[in-house]
Amino acid sequence: MLFIAIMLIFILIFGYIKGVNLFDEFVLGVKDGFLTTFKIAPYLLTMLFAIDIFRSSSALDFLLIF
């Protein structure tokens, strides 16, 4: 836990020294994160649905016997 705090402080200090506008970069990163989430959400939900159907059909139990 301490490592995460130290790493965050290091990144903030390094960005300040380099002259980067940290808030704007943070907002752009969050925006990109949301776009990525919306792009992969249908695939993730489909995969979870397929796994649930596979488990409900007892096919997983059949495969685990072998």
Side-chain angles (χ1 to χ4, degrees):
M1 190 70 169
L2 181 62
F3 176 74
I4 295 172
I6 292 171
M7 190 65 154
L8 183 62
I9 291 170
F10 176 75
I11 290 170
L12 291 173
I13 291 171
F14 187 72
Y16 180 74
I17 291 171
K18 295 285 271 185
V20 176
N21 191 344
L22 297 173
F23 182 75
D24 288 342
E25 292 298 324
F26 175 76
V27 170
L28 285 174
V30 169
K31 184 174 133 183
D32 287 343
F34 276 124
L35 291 176
T36 302
T37 301
F38 289 130
K39 286 181 185 177
I40 68 168
Y43 302 107
L44 182 62
L45 290 174
T46 303
M47 201 166 47
L48 290 173
F49 184 67
I51 291 170
D52 186 48
I53 290 174
F54 189 65
R55 289 181 65 199
S56 297
S57 70
S58 299
L60 182 62
D61 295 334
F62 181 71
L63 286 176
L64 290 177
I65 292 172
F66 293 110

